[in-house]
Amino acid sequence: MWPRIGELRALALGTPGELRATLNTLVLAGLKTATAGRLAEYAEESEELEHVGERLALVDDDNALAGIVEITGVEVVRFADVPWDFAHAEGEGDRSIEEWRAGHSAYWARLGTPVDGDTPIVCLRFRLVSGGEGGVAGGDLGT
């Protein structure tokens, strides 16, 4: 199972360190409103898919609360079928869907979980509910 903060499932973006810090900064700045994951991760962790309206705790490397996001869309598509508008919403600076696919393919390969065109990908869209400049209501809730 993924960590929980209070009643919320944790959303830990990327891998710990510089990548997670960068991705969290993009979310807190309102530039990142989507993220992708392999469907297989959910089965591996005995987790259900997120649902529209669900709130998630955005966490840092220490599983401390960095912000709260609310899911606005959930779709499972083949890696080859992830649309450009979704990839662009990830806010990571990709200039084309091909660049997005190359970067994400390389990322998952580095993690030892390579993907191909048929790999099911969970495409989550979200909006920032709290965090960023105003801080997080209630502070760090811990785990």
Side-chain angles (χ1 to χ4, degrees), residues 10-115:
L11 176 60
L13 297 172
T15 52
E18 184 179 339
L19 178 58
R20 181 164 300 152
T22 298
L23 296 176
N24 282 355
T25 298
L26 291 171
V27 171
L28 296 173
L31 301 173
K32 180 174 180 61
T33 59
T35 194
R38 294 177 314 105
L39 180 61
E41 292 174 54
Y42 289 80
E44 292 162 6
E45 296 290 334
S46 300
E47 287 288 345
E48 295 180 13
L49 287 179
E50 292 84 356
H51 60 273
V52 172
E54 180 177 5
R55 290 188 174 193
L56 304 175
L58 181 67
V59 297
D60 65 14
D61 288 347
D62 299 317
N63 285 329
L65 187 62
I68 297 174
V69 298
E70 182 177 319
I71 300 299
T72 60
V74 180
E75 185 177 13
V76 179
V77 299
R78 294 172 52 242
F79 183 67
D81 295 333
V82 172
W84 170 241
D85 69 310
F86 174 85
H88 185 67
E90 281 205 291
E92 298 171 26
D94 295 309
R95 294 168 295 200
S96 69
I97 190 63
E98 294 79 17
E99 187 176 320
W100 180 91
R101 285 191 185 113
H104 281 69
S105 181
Y107 169 77
W108 282 313
R110 282 193 306 275
L111 294 180
T113 56
V115 298

